[in-house]
Amino acid sequence: MKLGLVIDLDTCVGCHACATACKEWNASGVTGPLSDYDPYGAEPSGVWFNRIRHFEVGEYPENKTVNFPMSCLHCENAECVTVCPTGASIKREEDGIVLVDQDKCMGCNLCSWACPYGARELDESSGTMKKCTLCVDRIYDEELEEREQQPACVLACPAHARMFGDLEDPESEVGETVRRRGGYSLMPELGYEPTNQYLPPRSTRPIPTDDLPKPSATDKVKEWTNKVVNR
């Protein structure tokens, strides 16, 4: 079994609900607190399992913003596990989830340097590495209703852009969706075989712009003035 996420880049709206739900659930979970640094200061930062990048692709009027959530991909050939000198990083045989034993980790950063996806973060408060656990303490909690036994990010996504399941089973919902939508893994040329899969944005028709009113000379002057005025 290979548990993982399928993320639909066509429907992700970049709202960060997955990231905040992840932080809320995991702040007291398997890896302990996800530290915040200077949370009420001018430049707050902290440890996150999920981060969302935003990219603008294409040229106007055929351009599009792509929101790209990133977390640990739970690679089949996880180099972060191979390089760990203390055995803190492990890949579980029973479900493929990659975890970090907080009691063994010494925060040497080797796993972070080995991960090409930037999925690991050093918690400066605990001095240990932290990463996505796929909410392992939630998905196996039999006291939760079955529909709740999913990662917090999946449950929180308002656009239903995230799915969770066994990607080794081609007949599973996630396996069928990846096959039908042409899902892909990141940087397959590296040979790490990430479990998490991404569904590409669908092609859309460009928005017609020929009938839009052309800016007048006055409008152009106003636009130029707004650019040079320091507001």
Side-chain angles (χ1 to χ4, degrees):
M1 182 164 62
K2 291 199 303 184
L3 296 180
L5 299 172
V6 175
I7 299 172
D8 190 346
L9 299 179
D10 190 61
T11 55
C12 176
V13 295
C15 67
H16 293 242
C18 55
T20 54
C22 166
K23 179 126 179 167
E24 180 182 19
W25 176 260
N26 288 291
S28 60
V30 173
T31 59
L34 304 184
S35 303
D36 290 320
Y37 314 131
D38 195 21
Y40 304 108
E43 297 182 2
S45 63
V47 179
W48 296 78
F49 288 171
N50 265 295
R51 292 186 184 272
I52 296 86
R53 274 77 176 181
H54 309 279
F55 302 96
E56 192 72 12
V57 298
E59 298 291 334
Y60 178 82
E62 299 180 21
N63 57 322
K64 181 175 182 177
T65 300
V66 175
N67 305 295
F68 205 98
M70 275 291 299
S71 61
C72 174
L73 304 174
H74 300 277
C75 300
E76 185 66 17
N77 301 317
E79 189 70 3
C80 57
V81 173
T82 304
V83 302
C84 180
T86 66
S89 290
I90 58 172
K91 183 171 177 64
R92 301 182 359 149
E93 292 185 4
E94 62 268 35
D95 53 21
I97 298 177
V98 176
L99 296 174
V100 179
D101 186 333
Q102 297 294 298
D103 293 331
K104 294 182 178 178
C105 180
M106 61 180 184
C108 67
N109 268 301
L110 281 178
C111 59
S112 178
W113 296 332
C115 174
Y117 307 108
R120 291 182 170 235
E121 297 193 20
L122 175 66
D123 189 325
E124 297 174 7
S125 297
S126 64
T128 57
M129 303 303 299
K130 293 182 175 175
K131 58 174 286 302
C132 165
T133 69
L134 274 182
C135 289
V136 67
D137 54 343
R138 180 183 190 101
I139 61 177
Y140 289 112
D141 188 348
E142 296 183 353
E143 293 188 1
L144 294 174
E145 295 182 21
E146 185 174 349
R147 62 184 178 85
E148 296 285 329
Q149 295 175 11
Q150 300 187 68
C153 60
V154 175
L155 294 170
C157 180
H160 304 292
R162 305 173 75 97
M163 300 173 64
F164 168 71
D166 181 8
L167 283 150
E168 192 174 50
D169 179 5
E171 303 304 320
S172 65
E173 184 179 5
V174 288
E176 189 278 329
T177 302
V178 168
R179 185 171 61 253
R180 176 169 47 82
R181 289 282 309 280
Y184 63 91
S185 57
L186 290 186
M187 296 187 283
E189 66 276 14
L190 297 179
Y192 297 156
E193 300 184 36
T195 299
N196 287 5
Q197 300 287 301
Y198 288 88
L199 305 179
R202 296 180 177 87
S203 299
T204 56
R205 291 185 301 174
I207 300 173
T209 58
D210 294 340
D211 57 346
L212 292 178
K214 304 299 181 185
S216 64
T218 302
D219 292 333
K220 291 181 179 179
V221 171
K222 289 181 178 178
E223 182 180 359
W224 178 84
T225 303
N226 285 332
K227 288 182 179 178
V228 299
V229 171
N230 184 15
R231 294 176 179 275

